[in-house]
């Protein structure tokens, strides 16, 4: 009831002409960015962080949310028409979508994806409206030990759930924590890792870290391995769906959100696992099993709906707990910090206009996406032909603008290049970038909460585990850490470190049935 | 507890084709195969750096509360040392980090270091030029230079796009968003 009133107020905020404009800009920019090869949503939001210097928070977050949803939609267009997905979340869209495009059904594949995103986003955002205030209420009196526990959970989840190697994830996290240490200690003013430099005493701005790792690192990495001949996109007309296709897809659209949303809300890698789970589910339930692998439309509709809903789930944990579960959420958290706003249970009390305006604008953005993208699809497809030198030169250019806008200092640009080179090395040696970014963003906050908690308990470590909430969170952390051992101990389970596509299937079958038919 | 396999604390090595045992190899190709050890060395160096900085900190006066400004850096430093060691073990046992893939990435060919160096050089050069030349001019040079480094040779089109993009970004940030960027002599003339 209360949530409904707040949501109506939110629509009041979101439907002002200026905020509508930001939503439209975000959605269009997001789709363009998602379609452009090489730029993911996280890089897009990172490159746009400098607008936070000139925009009010509500407008900025409405735009960022539009970018997030738009980029997810755009990414599936790339997958379907090019078959070379750059983001893990769009991999599944290529599996059925690209064969469809090859056999001349690209328009239907794009339509199934677009409506899937709309349906998934709508259901996901409704779940967000229903759940977020409750979670915020439950968590409203959490204190320093609880915050610290949540941050530890974020660190552990991001290093051990994502990626194929825990050591490399941990290495990345520690690099991020180290960068976060640079500057004056927040509680005592002690200089740390500044080496006497006045500039470093201010710390390294999180904009520079995010832009350096996501944008410069990526541009340099691609530059070193640029494909001589970029792949040719399959030409496509205006998306539409026939009656027979609709009959096949509506159930998939409806199922997707319930797979996507929960996975978005927990730190399990965003859209990667739920899209794959949805794919497997749709395949099992499909009446047209012979078409799978050759272009089954359910295989586009379900996963795309799940992907969009997982984005809504991500926002639940980000807004109510301040826990970023994906790279985009991490960069958005950085944007909150730029404004001096701490996302968390109190956000709904302190900034109701911002939060509910943001949530309402998600609905607006979804409608805009559907209305714009169906007619604009052929135009988006043209973006795939952009000459690659311009694309990556543009990324370098906007990265430089962003870093320079931080303080108008040349040294920031040098720092940006150094961090970009670190990002390059991380891509070369398979160190995931996300843990480093989370380390930089959450590291200083985690240290502060830790010290606050220990101050309250007068140095006793029990002060960290004296609430039911923190104990629960630590239990989850232990479970995550022990998971490989538990898996080994379970009988008849595969013990090989399977690649990304294998893992979700394995965990899925363990939930739904006994794993007797599995063996690698 | 009927756990069949004793839980081992060792890192899980990914089964990436282990080098055929017994094959004679030169030291150079061994190093090439194990270049990831460099990451381990860098982590080690970083760990030593963080620990040195933390332990040489003078905190007796500023110490407030049971956990001072030293504690977390010490933990991070030790963590770096441990991860450096674990990574080295993993690499020596045949584990390899997977290089990132992407739409425009072709891992089939060796890395093109010339482009990377050229790009970095263009970036640094333009950064230095921002103050004397102003942002629009330096930004245009950055875009043109980067496009050139990446293989674009359209002398008619490249500078034009660079100039338009740079001026548009300048107008957007300086005028619309209120983020001050130096206009330089060029903007003084216009």
């Amino acid at each position: 009831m209360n949530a409904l009133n707040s949501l109506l107020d939110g629509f009041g905020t979101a439907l002002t002409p200026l905020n509508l404009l930001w939503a439209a800009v975000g959605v269009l920019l997001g789709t363009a960015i998602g379609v452009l090869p090489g730029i993911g949503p996280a890089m897009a939001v990172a490159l746009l962080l400098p607008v936070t210097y000139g925009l009010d928070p509500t407008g900025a977050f409405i735009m960022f949310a539009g970018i997030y949803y738009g980029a997810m939609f755009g990414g599936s267009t790339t997958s379907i028409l090019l078959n070379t997905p750059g983001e893990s979340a769009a991999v599944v869209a290529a599996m059925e979508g690209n064969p469809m495009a090859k056999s001349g059904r690209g328009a239907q594949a794009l339509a199934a994806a677009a409506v899937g995103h709309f349906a998934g986003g709508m259901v996901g955002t409704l779940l967000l409206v229903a759940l977020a205030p409750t979670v915020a209420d439950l968590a409203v009196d959490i204190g320093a030990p609880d915050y610290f526990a949540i941050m530890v959970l974020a660190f552990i989840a991001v290093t051990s759930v994502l990626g194929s190697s825990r050591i490399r994830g941990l290495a990345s996290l520690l690099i991020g924590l180290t960068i976060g240490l640079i500057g004056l200690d927040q509680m005592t003013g002690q200089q740390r890792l500044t080496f006497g430099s006045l500039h470093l005493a201010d710390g390294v701005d999180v904009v520079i870290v995010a832009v350096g790792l996501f944008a410069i690192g990526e541009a340099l990495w691609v530059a070193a391995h640029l494909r001589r001949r970029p792949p040719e996109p399959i030409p496509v007309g205006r998306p539409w769906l026939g009656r027979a296709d609709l009959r096949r897809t509506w159930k998939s659209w409806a199922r997707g959100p319930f797979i996507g949303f929960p996975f978005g809300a927990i730190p399990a890698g965003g859209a990667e696992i739920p899209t794959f789970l949805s794919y497997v589910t749709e395949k099992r339930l499909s009446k047209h099993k012979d078409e799978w692998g050759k272009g089954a439309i359910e295989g586009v509709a379900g996963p795309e709906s799940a992907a969009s809903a997982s984005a809504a789930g991500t926002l639940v944990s980000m807004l109510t707990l301040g826990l970023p579960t994906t790279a985009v959420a991490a960069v958005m958290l950085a944007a909150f910090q730029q404004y001096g706003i701490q996302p968390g249970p109190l956000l709904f009390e302190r900034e109701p206009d911002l939060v509910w305006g943001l949530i309402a604008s998600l609905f607006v953005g979804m409608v805009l996406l559907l209305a714009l993208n169906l007619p604009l699809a052929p135009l988006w497809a043209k973006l795939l032909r952009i000459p690659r030198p311009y694309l990556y030169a543009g990324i370098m250019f906007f990265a430089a603008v962003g870093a320079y806008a931080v303080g108008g200092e040349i040294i920031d640009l040098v720092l940006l290049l150094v961090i970009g080179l670190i990002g390059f090395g991380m891509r070369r040696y398979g160190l995931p970038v996300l843990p480093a970014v989370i380390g930089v963003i959450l590291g200083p906050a985690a240290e502060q909460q830790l010290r606050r908690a220990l101050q309250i308990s007068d140095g006793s470590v029990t002060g960290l585990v004296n609430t039911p909430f923190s104990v629960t969170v630590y239990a989850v952390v232990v479970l995550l850490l022990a998971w490989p051992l538990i898996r080994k101990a379970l009988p008849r389970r595969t013990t090989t470190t399977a690649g990304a596509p294998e893992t979700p299937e394995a965990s899925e079958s363990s939930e739904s049935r006994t794993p007797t038919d599995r063996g690698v | 507890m009927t756990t069949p396999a004793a839980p081992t604390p060792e890192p899980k090595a990914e089964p990436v084709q282990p080098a055929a045992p017994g094959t004679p190899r030169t030291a150079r190709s061994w190093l090439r195969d194990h270049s990831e050890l460099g990451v381990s060395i860098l982590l080690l160096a970083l760990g030593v750096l963080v620990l040195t900085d933390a332990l040489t900190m003078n905190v007796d006066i500023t110490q407030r509360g049971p956990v001072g400004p030293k504690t977390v850096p010490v933990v991070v430093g030790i963590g770096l040392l441990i991860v450096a060691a674990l990574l080295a073990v993993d690499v020596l046992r045949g584990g390899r980090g997977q290089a990132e893939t992407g739409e425009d990435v072709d891992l089939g060919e060796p890395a093109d270091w010339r482009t990377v160096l050229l790009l970095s050089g263009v970036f640094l050069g333009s950064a230095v030029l921002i103050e004397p030349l102003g942002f629009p001019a330096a930004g245009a040079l950055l875009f043109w230079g980067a496009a050139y480094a990446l293989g674009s040779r359209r002398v008619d089109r490249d500078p034009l796009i660079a100039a338009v993009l740079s001026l548009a970004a300048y107008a957007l940030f300086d005028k619309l968003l209120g983020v001050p960027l130096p206009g330089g002599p060029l903007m003084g003339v216009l």
Side-chain angles (χ1 to χ4, degrees):
Chain A
M1 226 38 192
N2 209 354
L4 217 58
N5 283 337
S6 315
L7 183 63
L8 285 179
D9 288 344
F11 272 108
T13 311
L15 290 175
T16 57
L18 196 62
N19 285 337
L20 262 180
L21 177 73
W22 292 128
V25 169
V27 163
L28 282 176
L29 213 58
T31 314
I33 278 161
V35 172
L36 283 176
I39 312 187
M43 191 209 284
V45 178
L47 282 175
L48 283 168
L49 276 179
V51 305
T52 56
Y53 298 119
L55 226 62
D56 73 301
T58 312
F61 284 110
I62 285 177
M63 187 164 78
F64 287 162
I67 290 172
Y68 192 6
Y69 280 97
M72 282 227 162
F73 174 84
S76 61
T77 306
T78 316
S79 295
I80 291 168
L81 300 182
L82 267 189
N83 195 25
T84 49
E87 299 143 50
S88 48
V91 170
V92 173
M95 287 167 34
E96 296 302 320
N98 190 251
M100 279 183 77
K102 274 189 186 140
S103 59
R105 296 198 352 115
Q108 283 81 357
L110 286 183
V115 181
H117 275 282
F118 179 76
M122 278 293 175
V123 176
T125 312
L126 281 174
L127 290 173
L128 166 71
V129 171
L131 283 180
T134 318
V135 177
D137 275 349
L138 282 178
V140 79
D141 49 17
I142 66 176
D146 309 304
Y147 276 118
F148 181 67
I150 291 177
M151 288 166 188
V152 170
L153 171 65
F155 291 152
I156 298 301
V158 87
T159 50
S160 63
V161 179
L162 311 179
S164 49
S165 162
R166 280 185 173 199
I167 306 166
R168 289 171 182 82
L170 207 57
S172 169
L173 175 71
L174 286 166
I175 291 172
L177 289 175
T178 306
I179 296 175
L181 282 176
I182 298 173
L184 298 182
D185 171 38
Q186 291 172 23
M187 292 180 113
T188 61
Q190 174 76 42
Q191 295 211 8
R192 294 195 296 197
L193 292 173
T194 59
F195 311 106
S197 152
L198 266 181
H199 186 79
L200 285 181
D202 288 339
V204 184
D205 197 286
V206 73
V207 172
I208 293 177
V209 181
V211 171
L213 286 178
F214 282 122
I216 299 282
E218 179 74 15
L220 292 177
W221 174 241
V222 174
H225 294 277
L226 191 60
R227 236 180 250 284
R228 291 287 130 78
R229 281 169 45 84
E232 271 294 299
I234 302 166
V236 71
R238 180 186 270 250
W240 60 279
L241 281 175
R243 194 173 283 270
D245 285 326
L246 274 177
R247 211 172 294 130
R248 283 178 65 177
T249 45
W250 71 272
K251 278 187 200 150
S252 316
W253 287 328
R255 274 191 291 263
F258 299 97
I259 300 174
F261 186 83
F263 275 94
I266 59 170
E272 191 174 330
I273 294 175
T275 46
F276 200 84
L277 274 184
S278 167
Y279 180 85
V280 174
T281 312
E282 295 306 329
K283 191 172 179 179
R284 197 167 289 159
L285 295 173
S286 173
K287 290 197 188 78
H288 305 266
K289 288 213 169 53
D290 51 314
E291 279 183 31
W292 286 78
K294 290 176 234 148
I297 195 163
E298 299 98 322
V300 180
E304 291 314 289
S305 168
S308 223
S310 86
T314 301
L315 289 179
V316 174
S317 16
M318 211 257 301
L319 293 175
T320 59
L321 296 174
L323 174 69
T325 57
T326 62
V328 189
V331 184
M332 279 174 83
L333 197 67
F336 274 111
Q337 289 180 350
Q338 293 286 323
Y339 284 116
I341 301 172
Q342 170 70 47
L346 293 176
L347 188 68
F348 282 76
E349 274 177 30
R350 285 188 191 150
E351 308 273 350
D353 289 350
L354 170 64
V355 178
W356 288 104
L358 172 64
I359 293 176
S361 79
L362 295 179
F363 289 106
V364 177
M366 223 78 68
V367 175
L368 285 175
L369 259 181
L370 191 68
L372 290 174
N373 282 330
L374 288 181
L376 286 181
L379 186 73
W380 295 134
K382 285 213 178 72
L383 272 183
L384 291 173
R385 295 172 185 277
I386 185 174
R388 299 305 188 259
Y390 293 156
L391 176 61
Y392 293 100
I395 292 175
M396 298 285 282
F397 173 83
F398 280 106
V401 178
Y404 191 72
V406 168
E409 287 180 86
I410 302 299
I411 181 114
D412 278 338
L413 290 175
V414 179
L415 219 54
L416 179 73
L417 185 65
V418 170
I419 292 176
L421 287 170
I422 295 176
F424 175 86
M426 290 171 73
R427 284 175 172 80
R428 164 67 182 84
Y429 288 108
L431 266 59
V433 173
L434 182 57
V437 174
I438 299 252
V440 176
I441 293 171
L442 286 186
E447 182 186 6
Q448 221 179 348
Q449 300 291 0
L450 169 72
R451 284 160 72 175
R452 213 173 273 163
L454 288 177
Q455 233 162 25
I456 297 166
S457 74
D458 210 19
S460 163
V461 191
T462 51
L464 294 178
V465 288
N466 58 6
T467 61
F469 186 91
S470 57
V471 172
T472 317
V473 174
Y474 285 122
V476 175
V477 168
V478 170
L479 205 67
L480 280 178
L481 282 176
W483 180 241
L485 297 181
I486 299 172
R487 234 163 74 146
K488 235 181 243 172
L490 290 176
R492 303 203 62 176
R493 293 302 303 265
T494 63
T495 46
T496 49
T497 43
E502 289 291 325
T503 322
E505 198 177 8
S507 60
E508 196 262 348
S509 63
S510 73
E511 280 161 24
S512 56
R513 55 156 113 166
T514 49
T516 44
D517 57 348
R518 292 201 59 82
V520 172
Chain B
M1 290 288 279
T2 51
T3 317
T8 44
E10 286 148 337
K12 225 183 300 166
E14 281 135 84
V16 181
Q17 68 276 7
T23 324
R25 285 163 154 259
T26 62
R28 182 182 281 235
S29 78
W30 188 90
L31 274 182
R32 188 182 293 262
D33 278 357
H34 294 76
S35 64
E36 204 176 343
L37 287 176
V39 179
S40 202
I41 293 169
L42 284 178
L43 289 172
L44 182 79
L46 193 63
V48 171
L49 185 74
V50 173
L51 275 180
T52 322
D53 185 78
L55 296 176
T56 54
M57 225 179 257
N58 192 7
V59 288
D60 351 308
I61 318 150
T62 47
Q63 175 99 35
R64 252 200 330 210
V67 180
K70 265 186 183 187
T71 317
V72 173
V74 169
V75 172
V76 170
I78 292 173
L80 279 166
L81 297 187
I82 294 173
V83 166
L86 287 178
L87 185 65
V89 170
D90 185 55
V91 172
L92 290 176
R93 288 172 38 151
R96 291 287 176 280
Q98 276 180 343
E100 198 180 87
T101 55
E103 285 114 329
D104 290 335
V105 172
D106 180 7
L107 289 177
E109 291 189 28
D112 179 3
W113 291 108
R114 203 178 138 266
T115 308
V116 176
L117 281 179
L118 210 57
L119 263 185
S120 309
V122 165
F123 189 86
L124 278 182
S126 326
V128 174
L129 287 176
I130 288 184
E131 258 147 43
L133 290 186
F135 181 82
L141 282 179
L142 168 61
F143 183 88
W144 188 9
Y148 182 89
L150 287 160
S152 182
R153 294 289 183 276
R154 293 285 299 268
V155 192
D156 52 336
R157 201 170 59 177
D158 296 357
L160 199 69
I161 295 177
V164 170
L165 182 76
S166 194
L167 277 174
Y170 175 73
L172 180 74
F173 276 87
D174 196 71
K175 307 285 184 252
L176 232 65
L177 289 173
V179 179
L181 296 173
L186 192 67
M187 283 295 143
V189 174
L190 285 179

